[in-house]
Amino acid sequence: MQTTIDPAEVAKFEAMAAEWWDPVGKFKPLHMLNPCRLDYITAQIAAEFGRDLSGPAPFEGLRILDIGCGGGLLSEPMARLGADVVGADAAERNIPVARIHAEQSGLAIDYRHTTAEALVEAGEVFDAVLNMEVVEHVADPQAYLTACQRLLRPGGLMVCSTLNRNPKSYVMAIIGAEHVMRWLPKGTHEWSKFITPDELFAMLESAGLDPVDRKGFVFNPLAWSWSISDRDLSVNYVTTSLKSD
């Protein structure tokens, strides 16, 4: 299979690899967003697989792929919930950072420098795929999402988040986050690669998935916090889709 990796995008994150676990470093926005992302992800997985989040190791027996895992900000919480986690990233320098942090945290996570397409070729299958803030960085979003679909077992679930493409997202994500607040290095995102919710739903359907939910991640500058919104998908948003049995 051809790869959907964009070498220029990989290079951006390779340059920032050492800062993944610095809450006030270049990945500060993700650290701020992470509790909100985890609330959504865990609720969707628990609902689909009938798991009680208040119990011990509620995701035990589930095999979860965190594609584009970075330093492991999502992989580690999934492992703590009892899941068998594979963290995959195309940026090679991210993997040792993730491995060392997991070891220091006493967590067994299978981190790999690989791609979605390579995992498909290896015959890997998962109950759930976490595909968070990756699709806007690949060379061919449709081919990439199709590869992710092939990694799901029948009845599996994918959670995919990205950035909407509109004037507001340009102001917030490019001008605000990169130029004014300097939360991210300039050039981290390309506005032209942002994807509208309707476009993403169409791509998910073309990939053979059934989109069943979408929500917005909304930043409140007064409370300095993120929340999940049923209506406001204008900048950051997240979707859940299922693979038919």
Side-chain angles (χ1 to χ4, degrees), residues 46-157:
E48 180 62 25
F49 295 103
R51 302 304 176 96
D52 180 2
L53 289 172
S54 66
F59 290 171
E60 188 173 3
L62 295 179
R63 191 165 193 247
I64 296 178
L65 170 65
D66 182 9
I67 188 75
C69 64
L73 300 187
L74 291 174
S75 294
E76 291 200 8
M78 294 300 106
R80 289 192 180 94
L81 290 168
D84 175 11
V85 180
V86 173
D89 206 293
E92 186 174 7
R93 290 178 60 189
N94 288 340
I95 299 304
V97 173
R99 284 176 178 159
I100 290 169
H101 197 274
E103 290 171 5
Q104 292 172 342
S105 302
L107 297 170
I109 298 172
D110 182 2
Y111 283 117
R112 307 182 195 179
H113 171 225
T114 188
T115 65
E117 293 81 9
L119 289 168
V120 170
E121 288 189 344
E124 299 279 0
V125 180
F126 302 88
D127 297 289
V129 172
L130 308 185
N131 188 355
M132 311 297 286
E133 291 85 46
V134 178
V135 68
E136 72 270 22
H137 295 290
V138 301
D140 186 338
Q142 184 64 72
Y144 169 70
L145 291 171
T146 300
C148 290
Q149 183 267 105
R150 294 178 65 185
L151 290 167
L152 282 171
R153 69 165 178 78
L157 168 151

Side-chain angles (χ1 to χ4, degrees), residues 26-41:
K26 290 185 174 67
F27 294 102
K28 179 180 178 178
L30 275 184
H31 283 272
M32 295 170 61
L33 178 59
N34 219 36
C36 195
R37 297 196 303 173
L38 285 168
D39 283 348
Y40 181 85
I41 290 167

Side-chain angles (χ1 to χ4, degrees), residues 133 135-136 160-174 189-200 214-217 231-239:
E133 291 85 46
V135 68
E136 72 270 22
C160 179
S161 65
T162 189
L163 287 149
N164 202 342
R165 189 182 68 257
N166 54 40
K168 181 178 178 180
S169 70
Y170 183 84
V171 171
M172 298 291 288
I174 305 294
H189 290 107
E190 293 182 39
W191 182 78
S192 62
K193 288 189 171 185
F194 290 2
I195 301 168
T196 71
D198 288 345
E199 288 171 346
L200 182 58
R214 59 185 179 185
K215 297 283 193 300
F217 290 144
R231 293 188 295 265
D232 187 353
L233 283 71
S234 58
V235 184
N236 297 77
Y237 69 97
V238 62
T239 66

